[in-house]
Amino acid sequence: MTETAVSHRSSRQRALTVGVGAGGLATADMVLNIGPQHPATHGVLRLRIVVDGERIVTAEPIIGYMHRGAEKLFEVRDYRQIVVLANRHDWLSAFSNELGVVLGVEQMLGMEVPERAVWARTALAELNRVLSHLMFLGSYPLELGAITPVFYAFREREELQAVLEEVSGGRMHYMFNRVGGLKEDLPAGWLGRVDKAIVNVRKRLPSLEHLLVGNEILEARTKGVGVLARETALSYGVSGPIARASGVDVDLRRDAPYLAYGELFGPNGPGRVVTREAGDSLARLEVLLEQTRVSLDIAEACLDRLIQLQPGPINVKLPKVLKVPEGEIYCATENPLGFNGYFLVSRGDKTPWRLKLRSASFNNVAVLTEMLPGQLISDMVSILGSMFFVVGDVDK
Amino acid sequence: MSEGWNVLEVVLRAVAVLAAFLVLPLLVGQTEHKVMAHMQGRLGPMYAGGFHGWAQLVADAVKFIQKEDITPARADRGVFRLAPFVALIPYLVAMAVVPLSPTIVGADVPGSALLVLAATGVGIIGTLMGGWASASKYSMLGAMRAAAQLVSYELPMVLAVASVALAAGTLSMVGIAEAWTPWWLLWQAPGAFVFLVAALAELQRPPFDMPIADSELVFGIFTEYTGLRFAFFLLAEYAGIVLFSLIFSVLWLGGWAGPFEAGLGWLWTILKAYAIAVLMIWLRVSWPRLREDQLQRLAWVWLVPIALLQLAITAVGVVMMR
């Protein structure tokens, strides 16, 4: 079947360059707009694809439907207010988004953050990663037509969201980071409840996994579909689980450690970077599944440390007006979807002069132009779903 | 006088078939709501009608009736409006000849197995009409997929039914069920498997719901349909489940064969069909969707050869047992 498909495709492509049907059936190309409102685009991404039958000839992601001018707004907000804005672009990993801003500001200020805050932030960041990954582990099968995994994924998400809600008051936009630490101390007994939640999630994760891994139909739809070559991934700046599924062994938590990751990814630490070589949709899904487990391990290690730590402050008292000294810094974190970087330029004011946001999904979606041509519409959905993007993260 | 009685009997039979046609799909639909929900750790409908949401589908029907009946401006009006009925009515015709027991049958015709296959084959035309007439690219792609799907399930299905007809030596569904013995469960198992897979493909149920594929084609052929016409397409799907489950029950599971056959035969037929319907629901809950070309590969590499092999096995069996 693959052989005939390949020869079929090449003849089709030849026909296109000539501009008329090559001897056989004359075909006409059709422009099909996938989005901005379409079930497979998780929001308002629009793809303008030209199809020949169901075979995609060209694909062009058209972005910007959700552009909210975040970068410009950063320039007229003080550093406390920026955190509110900054946690919104990738709404599935709000905590990690907040983190980049406050880490950058703290570095510019030369501020020392209490140890408890560092470990608590690390734990929360990993829980946030698990939440984001679970979301995609549920929604990707949904795009392939499997309607059940999403309920399994959401059951686990609910478990973790409960503890995050307890600590921060938010279920999505936590607003728990502050320059200098966290908003307030962890509630009494919270560590135990998180531990229990993690144990529960880990215990039930296999039931979600069994619905996906080893399913013949799922494999048929994902194996060898949408192969992203290592070189292409590198040239488009693809990062995160998608790049790692293509054999790009990079993870900022290990390679440019921030928070407590230096220790966690060190020898004897629970952290490890999950990679796959295949670069297809299945590999991307596998990386996500595996990373979920690793993140649970890391979060658990953080909790163990938090229990051992002496009581102490969880934040630094800030002046009434927070001004960041003149200078610039690029602060990148490994968000669930890939590199999330803030380039902060300060002129010594209480607002940044410029705060450039480098979001993961922007690059990860850009590479679709390379991946989609030659695929079927069904495979397009399989690829689109496996690129794990959030439209807000694309459009900022 | 007897003329009048005949007319009355025909009318009563038609009404009974229509009633079954309208009630049984709702039963399957409600089962799907509840079974699927519980498989997914949910409760499903709980409010409509009071007790465990039993009237959910009635409420849905009321809602569908109230909706505006929209025909897109550029649609091929007549074809667009006719399509849901073309999809629905063949199943009603087929339902009339499917027996629940030797006596409980809408119309006992000699070649009922053939008639059922012929009638259900027409339903797909409604889908194609709807997809073509909608003047929507998504509907059109859905219709093309439905057409592509057609070539992969029709042949295996006919071959599978041919096998049981050969085994029983008759094309009458009543005759086939009467000839059934438990030994068929083994003897005709490959054919049964082929029929079940082909039925899922004909019904466009997951894992073969590519013509609808909500995540790919929005809602495929049904994208432009609203209100009652949309409801008719849905009813056609569930009526199809009922019909194919009943056919499976009669042809491969012996229909009314079971304890107290004389009095409760019809119940056995329905219970067996119900089990098959639940199986179809179960498959929907557990599996992702295949790709159109993968279904065709499945059909031509597996289903057709298995069906042909089954035909050969049946032929050998018939000759040896004579």
Side-chain angles (χ1 to χ4, degrees):
Chain A
M1 196 65 193
T2 43
E3 272 178 27
T4 56
V6 167
S7 64
H8 185 65
R9 191 190 312 176
S10 64
S11 74
R12 279 283 176 83
Q13 277 168 354
R14 214 179 313 124
L16 284 169
T17 52
V18 176
V20 291
L25 205 62
T27 58
D29 291 346
M30 174 167 86
V31 177
L32 188 64
N33 278 298
I34 306 289
Q37 263 96 39
H38 185 278
T41 57
H42 300 277
V44 286
L45 176 73
R46 176 178 164 205
L47 290 170
R48 187 165 60 203
I49 60 175
V50 178
V51 285
D52 178 15
E54 285 218 24
R55 185 78 63 187
I56 295 172
V57 181
T58 58
E60 181 194 359
I62 301 171
I63 61 168
Y65 286 88
M66 205 183 260
H67 180 59
R68 290 168 288 183
E71 288 179 7
K72 203 68 193 163
L73 286 171
F74 288 152
E75 293 168 16
V76 291
R77 297 283 190 279
D78 72 29
Y79 290 100
R80 294 182 179 92
Q81 294 167 326
I82 281 175
V83 179
V84 184
L85 274 178
N87 81 14
R88 250 139 252 265
H89 56 267
D90 175 0
W91 49 73
L92 290 178
S93 41
F95 192 87
S96 315
N97 299 341
E98 296 169 3
L99 210 52
V101 177
V102 294
L103 285 177
V105 173
E106 282 160 8
Q107 282 178 48
M108 299 250 308
L109 288 165
M111 188 182 271
E112 192 74 37
V113 178
E115 204 186 358
R116 289 188 66 225
V118 172
W119 284 95
R121 276 177 173 179
T122 316
L124 290 166
E126 287 309 309
L127 290 179
N128 196 189
R129 189 182 311 277
V130 175
L131 278 179
S132 171
H133 285 2
L134 280 173
M135 178 77 207
F136 286 107
L137 288 174
S139 76
Y140 182 43
L142 198 59
E143 256 143 57
L144 297 175
I147 49 181
T148 303
V150 70
F151 293 101
Y152 284 61
F154 266 70
R155 184 181 61 192
E156 310 316 326
R157 270 175 62 87
E158 203 54 44
E159 187 95 24
L160 294 172
Q161 264 186 337
V163 289
L164 279 169
E165 186 179 0
E166 188 192 349
V167 74
S168 70
R171 287 169 61 85
M172 219 170 164
H173 299 293
Y174 307 105
M175 269 307 291
F176 200 51
N177 274 298
R178 291 292 185 275
V179 175
L182 294 173
K183 180 177 162 235
E184 51 205 10
D185 213 336
L186 309 171
W190 183 75
L191 292 175
R193 287 191 285 280
V194 179
D195 202 47
K196 224 168 110 192
I198 292 177
V199 168
N200 282 342
V201 171
R202 189 181 286 131
K203 194 174 68 199
R204 291 187 306 223
L205 207 55
S207 62
L208 173 63
E209 203 170 336
H210 288 323
L211 279 175
L212 305 173
V213 177
N215 181 305
E216 287 81 2
I217 299 178
L218 189 105
E219 265 182 24
R221 290 297 308 279
T222 54
K223 206 171 197 167
V225 171
V227 177
L228 174 63
R230 198 186 127 84
E231 289 69 35
T232 321
L234 287 173
S235 64
Y236 274 80
V238 174
S239 57
I242 300 161
R244 287 196 283 278
S246 295
V248 182
D249 186 11
V250 61
D251 190 324
L252 292 181
R253 293 177 294 172
R254 182 198 60 192
D255 302 329
Y258 53 100
L259 294 180
Y261 286 123
E263 189 184 326
L264 289 164
F265 276 79
N268 305 324
R272 60 194 169 85
V273 179
V274 182
T275 56
R276 290 285 186 280
E277 294 303 319
D280 55 8
S281 297
L282 184 62
R284 292 189 276 273
L285 184 69
E286 283 173 356
V287 167
L288 222 55
L289 260 172
E290 186 76 26
Q291 272 190 186
T292 310
R293 290 176 192 287
V294 175
S295 287
L296 288 173
D297 290 345
I298 297 178
E300 211 156 43
C302 293
L303 293 178
D304 289 344
R305 178 60 70 91
L306 276 168
I307 292 171
Q308 291 164 18
L309 286 178
Q310 297 299 318
I314 201 142
N315 48 27
V316 177
K317 187 127 180 68
L318 294 179
K320 236 187 169 54
V321 177
L322 183 67
K323 287 188 175 171
V324 170
E326 196 166 335
E328 55 184 56
I329 193 171
Y330 178 70
C331 179
T333 53
E334 181 74 30
N335 268 26
L337 302 181
F339 298 169
N340 188 77
Y342 295 98
F343 183 60
L344 170 61
V345 183
S346 173
R347 293 273 165 94
D349 291 326
K350 60 178 187 177
T351 64
W353 182 77
R354 173 90 170 95
L355 182 54
K356 160 86 178 98
L357 166 62
R358 186 262 188 235
S359 59
S361 301
F362 183 80
N363 296 57
N364 295 358
V365 162
V367 79
L368 285 173
T369 343
E370 297 270 342
M371 294 174 79
L372 291 182
Q375 306 284 355
L376 295 167
I377 289 180
S378 300
D379 287 339
M380 176 203 77
V381 173
S382 158
I383 295 167
L384 213 56
S386 72
M387 294 307 280
F388 312 130
F389 62 89
V390 167
V391 178
D393 203 27
V394 179
D395 289 349
K396 301 179 217 181
Chain B
M1 194 63 199
S2 76
E3 184 78 358
W5 280 118
N6 277 343
V7 171
L8 187 65
E9 189 193 335
V10 167
V11 168
L12 280 178
R13 279 172 183 271
V15 168
V17 168
L18 189 66
F21 185 74
L22 292 176
V23 171
L24 292 178
L26 292 190
L27 201 67
V28 171
Q30 186 70 11
T31 307
E32 178 165 70
H33 271 320
K34 293 308 258 189
V35 168
M36 191 195 277
H38 285 287
M39 282 180 175
Q40 296 173 335
R42 300 182 287 125
L43 291 173
M46 286 301 282
Y47 293 98
F51 181 75
H52 287 260
W54 69 270
Q56 182 61 45
L57 289 172
V58 180
D60 283 348
V62 171
K63 183 194 75 177
F64 278 128
I65 291 168
Q66 291 171 7
K67 295 256 173 189
E68 184 185 357
D69 179 24
I70 298 171
T71 309
R74 290 171 62 192
D76 189 338
R77 217 177 154 73
V79 180
F80 182 86
R81 295 169 73 85
L82 191 64
F85 303 100
V86 179
L88 187 63
I89 289 170
Y91 287 140
L92 178 61
V93 172
M95 192 81 106
V97 298
V98 175
L100 295 184
S101 77
T103 46
I104 304 177
V105 50
D108 188 13
V109 294
S112 48
L114 192 65
L115 180 64
V116 161
L117 283 180
T120 52
V122 175
I124 184 72
I125 294 176
T127 307
L128 294 178
M129 282 165 65
W132 174 257
S134 289
S136 152
K137 290 172 185 173
Y138 292 118
S139 304
M140 162 93 153
L141 284 170
M144 292 302 119
R145 286 186 181 188
Q149 197 151 319
L150 169 82
V151 297
S152 36
Y153 62 76
E154 283 286 4
L155 184 58
M157 185 181 277
V158 171
L159 287 174
V161 174
S163 168
V164 279
L166 184 63
T170 170
L171 272 172
S172 153
M173 290 181 82
V174 176
I176 293 172
E178 296 277 292
W180 185 88
T181 58
W183 143 251
W184 281 34
L185 288 176
L186 191 65
W187 187 30
Q188 298 296 333
F193 166 75
V194 169
F195 182 84
L196 194 64
V197 175
L200 278 176
E202 153 118 39
L203 292 168
Q204 297 169 6
R205 292 277 298 175
F208 307 125
D209 59 337
M210 293 76 99
I212 302 162
D214 54 305
S215 58
E216 298 167 19
L217 302 178
V218 188
F219 216 55
I221 37 197
F222 307 144
T223 307
E224 303 295 336
Y225 279 93
T226 55
L228 216 46
R229 283 174 216 282
F230 178 69
F232 280 151
F233 269 124
L234 283 190
L235 182 61
E237 178 182 341
Y238 286 89
I241 297 176
V242 170
L243 185 67
F244 280 102
S245 303
L246 280 173
I247 296 172
F248 192 93
S249 154
V250 170
L251 297 187
W252 278 276
L253 302 177
W256 43 89
F260 311 110
E261 195 177 316
L264 289 177
W266 59 274
L267 188 63
W268 283 114
T269 311
I270 288 182
L271 282 180
K272 288 170 185 174
Y274 191 68
I276 298 297
V278 170
L279 179 67
M280 288 183 180
I281 293 165
W282 189 4
L283 295 180
R284 177 177 178 197
V285 177
S286 5
W287 279 345
R289 178 186 307 124
L290 267 177
R291 217 166 53 205
E292 200 62 71
D293 60 305
Q294 287 167 341
L295 167 64
Q296 277 166 19
R297 187 184 163 77
L298 177 76
W300 292 102
V301 174
W302 293 103
L303 296 187
V304 172
I306 291 175
L308 286 172
L309 190 70
Q310 171 71 75
L311 212 53
I313 294 172
T314 309
V316 170
V318 167
V319 170
M320 282 177 61
M321 279 189 297
R322 194 163 51 183

